[in-house]
mmCIF file of all heavy atoms in Angstrom:
data_model
loop_
_atom_site.group_PDB
_atom_site.id
_atom_site.type_symbol
_atom_site.label_atom_id
_atom_site.label_comp_id
_atom_site.label_asym_id
_atom_site.label_seq_id
_atom_site.Cartn_x
_atom_site.Cartn_y
_atom_site.Cartn_z
ATOM 1 N N ALA A 1 10.768 -1.536 -5.956
ATOM 2 C CA ALA A 1 10.993 -2.035 -7.325
ATOM 3 C C ALA A 1 9.737 -2.967 -7.838
ATOM 4 O O ALA A 1 9.324 -2.849 -8.912
ATOM 5 C CB ALA A 1 12.318 -2.763 -7.431
ATOM 6 N N LEU A 2 9.338 -3.802 -6.883
ATOM 7 C CA LEU A 2 8.297 -4.769 -7.174
ATOM 8 C C LEU A 2 6.921 -4.008 -7.315
ATOM 9 O O LEU A 2 6.051 -4.349 -8.223
ATOM 10 C CB LEU A 2 8.291 -5.892 -6.306
ATOM 11 C CG LEU A 2 7.393 -7.219 -6.692
ATOM 12 C CD1 LEU A 2 7.790 -7.630 -8.043
ATOM 13 C CD2 LEU A 2 7.661 -8.231 -5.671
ATOM 14 N N LEU A 3 6.745 -3.027 -6.447
ATOM 15 C CA LEU A 3 5.500 -2.264 -6.579
ATOM 16 C C LEU A 3 5.367 -1.607 -7.853
ATOM 17 O O LEU A 3 4.372 -1.539 -8.497
ATOM 18 C CB LEU A 3 5.406 -1.215 -5.473
ATOM 19 C CG LEU A 3 5.109 -1.862 -4.044
ATOM 20 C CD1 LEU A 3 5.249 -0.762 -2.957
ATOM 21 C CD2 LEU A 3 3.718 -2.388 -3.910
ATOM 22 N N GLU A 4 6.471 -1.108 -8.366
ATOM 23 C CA GLU A 4 6.445 -0.488 -9.749
ATOM 24 C C GLU A 4 6.271 -1.495 -10.721
ATOM 25 O O GLU A 4 5.535 -1.174 -11.792
ATOM 26 C CB GLU A 4 7.959 0.233 -9.874
ATOM 27 C CG GLU A 4 7.931 1.073 -11.161
ATOM 28 C CD GLU A 4 9.196 1.891 -11.330
ATOM 29 O OE1 GLU A 4 9.951 1.952 -10.368
ATOM 30 O OE2 GLU A 4 9.421 2.425 -12.455
ATOM 31 N N GLU A 5 6.777 -2.730 -10.591
ATOM 32 C CA GLU A 5 6.568 -3.799 -11.615
ATOM 33 C C GLU A 5 5.200 -4.261 -11.628
ATOM 34 O O GLU A 5 4.739 -4.647 -12.782
ATOM 35 C CB GLU A 5 7.571 -4.928 -11.275
ATOM 36 C CG GLU A 5 7.730 -5.968 -12.363
ATOM 37 C CD GLU A 5 8.759 -6.997 -12.132
ATOM 38 O OE1 GLU A 5 9.636 -6.843 -11.180
ATOM 39 O OE2 GLU A 5 8.882 -7.995 -12.904
ATOM 40 N N VAL A 6 4.489 -4.209 -10.617
ATOM 41 C CA VAL A 6 3.076 -4.665 -10.638
ATOM 42 C C VAL A 6 2.193 -3.479 -10.910
ATOM 43 O O VAL A 6 1.046 -3.597 -10.755
ATOM 44 C CB VAL A 6 2.667 -5.356 -9.260
ATOM 45 C CG1 VAL A 6 3.453 -6.569 -9.067
ATOM 46 C CG2 VAL A 6 2.692 -4.272 -8.123
ATOM 47 N N GLN A 7 2.845 -2.330 -11.208
ATOM 48 C CA GLN A 7 2.050 -1.172 -11.811
ATOM 49 C C GLN A 7 1.185 -0.551 -10.634
ATOM 50 O O GLN A 7 0.077 -0.095 -10.889
ATOM 51 C CB GLN A 7 1.229 -1.632 -13.039
ATOM 52 C CG GLN A 7 1.928 -2.122 -14.074
ATOM 53 C CD GLN A 7 1.108 -2.867 -15.237
ATOM 54 O OE1 GLN A 7 -0.106 -2.688 -15.217
ATOM 55 N NE2 GLN A 7 1.697 -3.663 -16.114
ATOM 56 N N ILE A 8 1.740 -0.401 -9.519
ATOM 57 C CA ILE A 8 1.134 0.435 -8.388
ATOM 58 C C ILE A 8 1.706 1.871 -8.658
ATOM 59 O O ILE A 8 3.001 2.039 -8.465
ATOM 60 C CB ILE A 8 1.543 -0.077 -7.035
ATOM 61 C CG1 ILE A 8 0.883 -1.517 -6.766
ATOM 62 C CG2 ILE A 8 1.090 0.955 -5.967
ATOM 63 C CD1 ILE A 8 -0.582 -1.396 -6.676
ATOM 64 N N PRO A 9 0.909 2.823 -8.756
ATOM 65 C CA PRO A 9 1.445 4.298 -9.064
ATOM 66 C C PRO A 9 2.052 4.743 -7.819
ATOM 67 O O PRO A 9 1.711 4.584 -6.725
ATOM 68 C CB PRO A 9 0.139 5.083 -9.392
ATOM 69 C CG PRO A 9 -0.899 4.023 -9.715
ATOM 70 C CD PRO A 9 -0.504 2.726 -8.987
ATOM 71 N N ASP A 10 3.246 5.397 -8.117
ATOM 72 C CA ASP A 10 4.053 6.246 -7.088
ATOM 73 C C ASP A 10 4.298 5.330 -5.807
ATOM 74 O O ASP A 10 3.585 5.493 -4.785
ATOM 75 C CB ASP A 10 3.273 7.432 -6.604
ATOM 76 C CG ASP A 10 4.117 8.437 -5.804
ATOM 77 O OD1 ASP A 10 5.244 8.015 -5.591
ATOM 78 O OD2 ASP A 10 3.777 9.527 -5.518
ATOM 79 N N PRO A 11 5.130 4.203 -5.959
ATOM 80 C CA PRO A 11 5.320 3.234 -4.933
ATOM 81 C C PRO A 11 5.704 3.892 -3.506
ATOM 82 O O PRO A 11 5.303 3.513 -2.555
ATOM 83 C CB PRO A 11 6.552 2.473 -5.467
ATOM 84 C CG PRO A 11 6.428 2.481 -6.907
ATOM 85 C CD PRO A 11 5.967 3.853 -7.254
ATOM 86 N N GLU A 12 6.546 5.015 -3.577
ATOM 87 C CA GLU A 12 7.010 5.618 -2.327
ATOM 88 C C GLU A 12 5.699 6.128 -1.581
ATOM 89 O O GLU A 12 5.579 5.902 -0.358
ATOM 90 C CB GLU A 12 7.878 6.757 -2.619
ATOM 91 C CG GLU A 12 9.293 6.416 -2.795
ATOM 92 C CD GLU A 12 10.155 6.211 -1.657
ATOM 93 O OE1 GLU A 12 9.495 6.203 -0.525
ATOM 94 O OE2 GLU A 12 11.299 5.960 -1.727
ATOM 95 N N ARG A 13 4.739 6.822 -2.341
ATOM 96 C CA ARG A 13 3.563 7.279 -1.723
ATOM 97 C C ARG A 13 2.575 6.160 -1.266
ATOM 98 O O ARG A 13 1.977 6.181 -0.297
ATOM 99 C CB ARG A 13 2.816 8.310 -2.612
ATOM 100 C CG ARG A 13 1.703 8.985 -2.105
ATOM 101 C CD ARG A 13 1.260 10.129 -2.865
ATOM 102 N NE ARG A 13 -0.017 10.747 -2.476
ATOM 103 C CZ ARG A 13 -1.243 10.479 -3.032
ATOM 104 N NH1 ARG A 13 -1.234 9.692 -4.046
ATOM 105 N NH2 ARG A 13 -2.164 11.084 -2.473
ATOM 106 N N ALA A 14 2.614 4.975 -2.122
ATOM 107 C CA ALA A 14 1.786 3.835 -1.807
ATOM 108 C C ALA A 14 2.050 3.236 -0.471
ATOM 109 O O ALA A 14 1.232 2.795 0.181
ATOM 110 C CB ALA A 14 1.923 2.911 -2.920
ATOM 111 N N LEU A 15 3.423 3.304 -0.086
ATOM 112 C CA LEU A 15 3.795 2.663 1.123
ATOM 113 C C LEU A 15 3.154 3.453 2.268
ATOM 114 O O LEU A 15 3.082 2.952 3.442
ATOM 115 C CB LEU A 15 5.249 2.573 1.324
ATOM 116 C CG LEU A 15 6.035 1.621 0.327
ATOM 117 C CD1 LEU A 15 7.536 1.747 0.601
ATOM 118 C CD2 LEU A 15 5.520 0.198 0.520
ATOM 119 N N ARG A 16 2.910 4.686 2.142
ATOM 120 C CA ARG A 16 2.308 5.510 3.266
ATOM 121 C C ARG A 16 0.829 5.416 3.365
ATOM 122 O O ARG A 16 0.198 6.093 4.243
ATOM 123 C CB ARG A 16 2.896 6.975 3.113
ATOM 124 C CG ARG A 16 4.449 7.163 3.190
ATOM 125 C CD ARG A 16 4.783 8.463 3.349
ATOM 126 N NE ARG A 16 4.436 9.330 2.158
ATOM 127 C CZ ARG A 16 5.223 9.451 1.067
ATOM 128 N NH1 ARG A 16 6.440 8.937 0.947
ATOM 129 N NH2 ARG A 16 4.761 10.279 0.103
ATOM 130 N N LYS A 17 0.228 4.724 2.418
ATOM 131 C CA LYS A 17 -1.221 4.728 2.413
ATOM 132 C C LYS A 17 -1.798 3.608 3.297
ATOM 133 O O LYS A 17 -1.113 2.635 3.470
ATOM 134 C CB LYS A 17 -1.753 4.609 0.976
ATOM 135 C CG LYS A 17 -1.568 5.725 0.039
ATOM 136 C CD LYS A 17 -2.221 5.448 -1.281
ATOM 137 C CE LYS A 17 -2.116 6.610 -2.206
ATOM 138 N NZ LYS A 17 -2.681 6.413 -3.520
ATOM 139 N N LEU A 18 -3.128 3.742 3.717
ATOM 140 C CA LEU A 18 -3.846 2.680 4.318
ATOM 141 C C LEU A 18 -4.484 1.832 3.344
ATOM 142 O O LEU A 18 -4.793 2.254 2.140
ATOM 143 C CB LEU A 18 -4.818 3.243 5.266
ATOM 144 C CG LEU A 18 -4.383 4.053 6.502
ATOM 145 C CD1 LEU A 18 -5.562 4.796 7.170
ATOM 146 C CD2 LEU A 18 -3.636 3.123 7.427
ATOM 147 N N PRO A 19 -4.673 0.465 3.626
ATOM 148 C CA PRO A 19 -5.520 -0.359 2.697
ATOM 149 C C PRO A 19 -6.690 0.161 2.043
ATOM 150 O O PRO A 19 -6.911 -0.191 0.825
ATOM 151 C CB PRO A 19 -5.548 -1.747 3.461
ATOM 152 C CG PRO A 19 -4.529 -1.645 4.561
ATOM 153 C CD PRO A 19 -4.475 -0.196 4.874
ATOM 154 N N GLY A 20 -7.446 0.900 2.827
ATOM 155 C CA GLY A 20 -8.719 1.322 2.283
ATOM 156 C C GLY A 20 -8.598 2.464 1.196
ATOM 157 O O GLY A 20 -9.561 2.757 0.613
ATOM 158 N N GLU A 21 -7.402 2.878 0.942
ATOM 159 C CA GLU A 21 -7.096 3.921 0.001
ATOM 160 C C GLU A 21 -6.820 3.280 -1.381
ATOM 161 O O GLU A 21 -6.626 4.021 -2.441
ATOM 162 C CB GLU A 21 -6.001 4.944 0.454
ATOM 163 C CG GLU A 21 -6.210 5.664 1.561
ATOM 164 C CD GLU A 21 -5.194 6.492 2.040
ATOM 165 O OE1 GLU A 21 -4.846 7.586 1.382
ATOM 166 O OE2 GLU A 21 -4.389 6.089 3.010
ATOM 167 N N PHE A 22 -6.920 1.906 -1.543
ATOM 168 C CA PHE A 22 -6.601 1.283 -2.791
ATOM 169 C C PHE A 22 -7.877 0.474 -3.215
ATOM 170 O O PHE A 22 -8.691 0.111 -2.389
ATOM 171 C CB PHE A 22 -5.499 0.236 -2.554
ATOM 172 C CG PHE A 22 -4.227 0.808 -2.312
ATOM 173 C CD1 PHE A 22 -3.795 1.005 -0.899
ATOM 174 C CD2 PHE A 22 -3.227 1.099 -3.282
ATOM 175 C CE1 PHE A 22 -2.505 1.488 -0.627
ATOM 176 C CE2 PHE A 22 -1.963 1.594 -2.995
ATOM 177 C CZ PHE A 22 -1.619 1.863 -1.629
ATOM 178 N N SER A 23 -7.971 0.410 -4.461
ATOM 179 C CA SER A 23 -9.035 -0.355 -5.068
ATOM 180 C C SER A 23 -8.785 -1.858 -4.928
ATOM 181 O O SER A 23 -7.828 -2.122 -4.470
ATOM 182 C CB SER A 23 -9.175 -0.064 -6.652
ATOM 183 O OG SER A 23 -8.037 -0.602 -7.261
ATOM 184 N N GLY A 24 -9.858 -2.653 -5.101
ATOM 185 C CA GLY A 24 -9.709 -4.061 -5.035
ATOM 186 C C GLY A 24 -8.622 -4.637 -5.832
ATOM 187 O O GLY A 24 -7.886 -5.461 -5.431
ATOM 188 N N GLY A 25 -8.529 -4.182 -7.164
ATOM 189 C CA GLY A 25 -7.564 -4.708 -8.107
ATOM 190 C C GLY A 25 -6.121 -4.344 -7.616
ATOM 191 O O GLY A 25 -5.134 -5.099 -7.677
ATOM 192 N N GLN A 26 -5.977 -3.054 -7.103
ATOM 193 C CA GLN A 26 -4.625 -2.627 -6.538
ATOM 194 C C GLN A 26 -4.256 -3.502 -5.290
ATOM 195 O O GLN A 26 -3.093 -3.803 -5.173
ATOM 196 C CB GLN A 26 -4.705 -1.109 -6.203
ATOM 197 C CG GLN A 26 -4.796 -0.224 -7.453
ATOM 198 C CD GLN A 26 -4.916 1.217 -7.028
ATOM 199 O OE1 GLN A 26 -5.547 1.629 -6.114
ATOM 200 N NE2 GLN A 26 -4.285 2.051 -7.837
ATOM 201 N N ARG A 27 -5.235 -3.848 -4.508
ATOM 202 C CA ARG A 27 -4.875 -4.542 -3.238
ATOM 203 C C ARG A 27 -4.550 -6.014 -3.688
ATOM 204 O O ARG A 27 -3.601 -6.520 -2.960
ATOM 205 C CB ARG A 27 -6.147 -4.686 -2.308
ATOM 206 C CG ARG A 27 -6.126 -3.419 -1.341
ATOM 207 C CD ARG A 27 -7.288 -3.711 -0.417
ATOM 208 N NE ARG A 27 -8.586 -2.909 -0.856
ATOM 209 C CZ ARG A 27 -9.551 -2.568 -0.202
ATOM 210 N NH1 ARG A 27 -9.600 -2.712 1.069
ATOM 211 N NH2 ARG A 27 -10.525 -1.959 -0.844
ATOM 212 N N GLN A 28 -5.093 -6.547 -4.706
ATOM 213 C CA GLN A 28 -4.607 -7.868 -5.212
ATOM 214 C C GLN A 28 -3.297 -7.737 -5.858
ATOM 215 O O GLN A 28 -2.326 -8.637 -5.623
ATOM 216 C CB GLN A 28 -5.646 -8.482 -6.157
ATOM 217 C CG GLN A 28 -5.483 -9.930 -6.315
ATOM 218 C CD GLN A 28 -5.733 -10.652 -5.010
ATOM 219 O OE1 GLN A 28 -4.874 -10.706 -4.153
ATOM 220 N NE2 GLN A 28 -6.840 -11.404 -4.941
ATOM 221 N N ARG A 29 -2.868 -6.659 -6.341
ATOM 222 C CA ARG A 29 -1.512 -6.397 -6.996
ATOM 223 C C ARG A 29 -0.600 -6.222 -5.631
ATOM 224 O O ARG A 29 0.692 -6.856 -5.771
ATOM 225 C CB ARG A 29 -1.392 -5.114 -7.729
ATOM 226 C CG ARG A 29 -2.165 -5.276 -9.018
ATOM 227 C CD ARG A 29 -2.231 -3.863 -9.680
ATOM 228 N NE ARG A 29 -3.131 -4.040 -10.966
ATOM 229 C CZ ARG A 29 -2.643 -4.220 -12.189
ATOM 230 N NH1 ARG A 29 -1.482 -4.492 -12.396
ATOM 231 N NH2 ARG A 29 -3.475 -4.324 -13.189
ATOM 232 N N LEU A 30 -1.016 -5.744 -4.627
ATOM 233 C CA LEU A 30 -0.140 -5.658 -3.398
ATOM 234 C C LEU A 30 0.089 -7.052 -2.736
ATOM 235 O O LEU A 30 1.151 -7.327 -2.350
ATOM 236 C CB LEU A 30 -0.855 -4.630 -2.380
ATOM 237 C CG LEU A 30 -0.905 -3.238 -2.760
ATOM 238 C CD1 LEU A 30 -1.755 -2.386 -1.843
ATOM 239 C CD2 LEU A 30 0.505 -2.546 -2.784
ATOM 240 N N MET A 31 -1.021 -7.883 -2.839
ATOM 241 C CA MET A 31 -0.809 -9.132 -2.414
ATOM 242 C C MET A 31 0.148 -9.979 -3.191
ATOM 243 O O MET A 31 0.893 -10.822 -2.643
ATOM 244 C CB MET A 31 -2.266 -9.901 -2.233
ATOM 245 C CG MET A 31 -3.175 -9.453 -1.282
ATOM 246 S SD MET A 31 -2.519 -9.359 0.432
ATOM 247 C CE MET A 31 -2.038 -11.093 0.629
ATOM 248 N N ILE A 32 0.162 -9.776 -4.511
ATOM 249 C CA ILE A 32 1.071 -10.542 -5.379
ATOM 250 C C ILE A 32 2.470 -9.934 -5.079
ATOM 251 O O ILE A 32 3.398 -10.792 -5.058
ATOM 252 C CB ILE A 32 0.657 -10.256 -6.913
ATOM 253 C CG1 ILE A 32 -0.534 -11.004 -7.261
ATOM 254 C CG2 ILE A 32 1.765 -10.765 -7.721
ATOM 255 C CD1 ILE A 32 -1.182 -10.649 -8.556
ATOM 256 N N THR A 33 2.586 -8.681 -4.819
ATOM 257 C CA THR A 33 3.788 -8.137 -4.439
ATOM 258 C C THR A 33 4.410 -8.762 -3.163
ATOM 259 O O THR A 33 5.593 -9.268 -3.176
ATOM 260 C CB THR A 33 3.843 -6.561 -4.213
ATOM 261 O OG1 THR A 33 3.435 -6.007 -5.423
ATOM 262 C CG2 THR A 33 5.053 -6.035 -3.758
ATOM 263 N N MET A 34 3.614 -8.987 -2.179
ATOM 264 C CA MET A 34 4.025 -9.484 -0.905
ATOM 265 C C MET A 34 4.370 -11.002 -1.080
ATOM 266 O O MET A 34 5.341 -11.510 -0.389
ATOM 267 C CB MET A 34 3.031 -9.338 0.150
ATOM 268 C CG MET A 34 2.724 -7.842 0.596
ATOM 269 S SD MET A 34 1.476 -7.583 1.762
ATOM 270 C CE MET A 34 2.209 -8.115 3.268
ATOM 271 N N ALA A 35 3.709 -11.760 -1.855
ATOM 272 C CA ALA A 35 3.942 -13.061 -2.152
ATOM 273 C C ALA A 35 5.351 -13.316 -2.883
ATOM 274 O O ALA A 35 6.089 -14.210 -2.418
ATOM 275 C CB ALA A 35 2.851 -13.691 -3.120
ATOM 276 N N LEU A 36 5.615 -12.333 -3.816
ATOM 277 C CA LEU A 36 6.865 -12.586 -4.655
ATOM 278 C C LEU A 36 8.096 -12.035 -3.877
ATOM 279 O O LEU A 36 9.179 -12.346 -4.146
ATOM 280 C CB LEU A 36 6.745 -11.793 -5.937
ATOM 281 C CG LEU A 36 5.857 -12.588 -6.920
ATOM 282 C CD1 LEU A 36 5.542 -11.595 -8.096
ATOM 283 C CD2 LEU A 36 6.434 -13.869 -7.452
ATOM 284 N N LEU A 37 7.914 -11.098 -2.931
ATOM 285 C CA LEU A 37 9.044 -10.603 -2.200
ATOM 286 C C LEU A 37 9.954 -11.499 -1.480
ATOM 287 O O LEU A 37 11.083 -11.299 -1.299
ATOM 288 C CB LEU A 37 8.613 -9.292 -1.338
ATOM 289 C CG LEU A 37 8.292 -7.895 -1.974
ATOM 290 C CD1 LEU A 37 7.631 -6.999 -0.931
ATOM 291 C CD2 LEU A 37 9.603 -7.418 -2.506
ATOM 292 N N THR A 38 9.339 -12.557 -1.095
ATOM 293 C CA THR A 38 10.053 -13.477 -0.282
ATOM 294 C C THR A 38 10.785 -14.500 -1.053
ATOM 295 O O THR A 38 11.406 -15.412 -0.699
ATOM 296 C CB THR A 38 9.079 -14.375 0.684
ATOM 297 O OG1 THR A 38 8.165 -15.158 -0.128
ATOM 298 C CG2 THR A 38 8.319 -13.416 1.528
ATOM 299 N N ALA A 39 10.772 -14.226 -2.490
ATOM 300 C CA ALA A 39 11.484 -15.095 -3.495
ATOM 301 C C ALA A 39 11.021 -16.579 -3.312
ATOM 302 O O ALA A 39 11.850 -17.543 -3.021
ATOM 303 C CB ALA A 39 12.926 -14.998 -3.388
ATOM 304 N N PRO A 40 9.731 -16.917 -3.283
ATOM 305 C CA PRO A 40 9.155 -18.269 -3.168
ATOM 306 C C PRO A 40 9.577 -19.198 -4.310
ATOM 307 O O PRO A 40 9.861 -18.723 -5.407
ATOM 308 C CB PRO A 40 7.655 -17.916 -3.009
ATOM 309 C CG PRO A 40 7.461 -16.892 -3.956
ATOM 310 C CD PRO A 40 8.588 -15.908 -3.716
ATOM 311 N N ASP A 41 9.441 -20.422 -4.052
ATOM 312 C CA ASP A 41 9.482 -21.493 -5.183
ATOM 313 C C ASP A 41 8.114 -21.839 -5.657
ATOM 314 O O ASP A 41 7.935 -22.267 -6.771
ATOM 315 C CB ASP A 41 10.119 -22.834 -4.568
ATOM 316 C CG ASP A 41 11.584 -22.453 -4.185
ATOM 317 O OD1 ASP A 41 12.297 -22.113 -4.989
ATOM 318 O OD2 ASP A 41 11.879 -22.786 -2.950
ATOM 319 N N LEU A 42 7.095 -21.635 -4.758
ATOM 320 C CA LEU A 42 5.725 -21.882 -5.009
ATOM 321 C C LEU A 42 4.726 -20.884 -4.468
ATOM 322 O O LEU A 42 4.930 -20.395 -3.361
ATOM 323 C CB LEU A 42 5.307 -23.283 -4.469
ATOM 324 C CG LEU A 42 3.785 -23.748 -4.504
ATOM 325 C CD1 LEU A 42 3.434 -24.085 -5.955
ATOM 326 C CD2 LEU A 42 3.634 -24.988 -3.666
ATOM 327 N N ILE A 43 3.879 -20.493 -5.370
ATOM 328 C CA ILE A 43 2.744 -19.484 -4.966
ATOM 329 C C ILE A 43 1.479 -20.353 -4.943
ATOM 330 O O ILE A 43 1.122 -20.939 -5.978
ATOM 331 C CB ILE A 43 2.630 -18.287 -5.652
ATOM 332 C CG1 ILE A 43 3.908 -17.440 -5.496
ATOM 333 C CG2 ILE A 43 1.350 -17.509 -5.487
ATOM 334 C CD1 ILE A 43 3.931 -16.109 -6.372
ATOM 335 N N ILE A 44 0.716 -20.259 -3.919
ATOM 336 C CA ILE A 44 -0.748 -20.809 -3.908
ATOM 337 C C ILE A 44 -1.723 -19.705 -4.063
ATOM 338 O O ILE A 44 -1.700 -18.715 -3.065
ATOM 339 C CB ILE A 44 -0.999 -21.659 -2.610
ATOM 340 C CG1 ILE A 44 -0.047 -22.862 -2.714
ATOM 341 C CG2 ILE A 44 -2.494 -22.084 -2.563
ATOM 342 C CD1 ILE A 44 -0.124 -23.791 -1.496
ATOM 343 N N ALA A 45 -2.373 -19.641 -5.141
ATOM 344 C CA ALA A 45 -3.456 -18.668 -5.299
ATOM 345 C C ALA A 45 -4.758 -19.070 -5.165
ATOM 346 O O ALA A 45 -5.136 -19.898 -6.179
ATOM 347 C CB ALA A 45 -3.068 -18.040 -6.740
ATOM 348 N N ASP A 46 -5.539 -18.876 -4.180
ATOM 349 C CA ASP A 46 -6.790 -19.443 -4.039
ATOM 350 C C ASP A 46 -7.987 -18.546 -4.599
ATOM 351 O O ASP A 46 -8.366 -17.585 -3.885
ATOM 352 C CB ASP A 46 -7.056 -19.485 -2.411
ATOM 353 C CG ASP A 46 -8.358 -20.321 -2.298
ATOM 354 O OD1 ASP A 46 -8.917 -20.873 -3.102
ATOM 355 O OD2 ASP A 46 -8.862 -20.193 -1.044
#
């Protein structure tokens, strides 16, 4: 659900891909996804 929200195309297929198959912008969207999935109170973005 969150992969769809961050606009990663075809989330089911995306989960089966290796990191090298994504662009830099897509990889940063994936990092934002992983940060938000834990339901944090604070995100540190360096």
Side-chain angles (χ1 to χ4, degrees):
L2 192 49
L3 285 172
E4 186 171 352
E5 195 170 350
V6 301
Q7 300 167 14
I8 294 292
D10 195 352
E12 281 278 6
R13 186 164 173 262
L15 291 180
R16 299 192 295 271
K17 289 184 176 182
L18 292 169
E21 298 179 71
F22 294 91
S23 68
Q26 288 176 325
R27 270 183 272 200
Q28 200 59 289
R29 291 171 189 267
L30 290 170
M31 290 307 306
I32 292 172
T33 298
M34 294 178 75
L36 288 169
L37 276 172
T38 64
D41 299 299
L42 173 67
I43 290 176
I44 296 178
D46 184 19

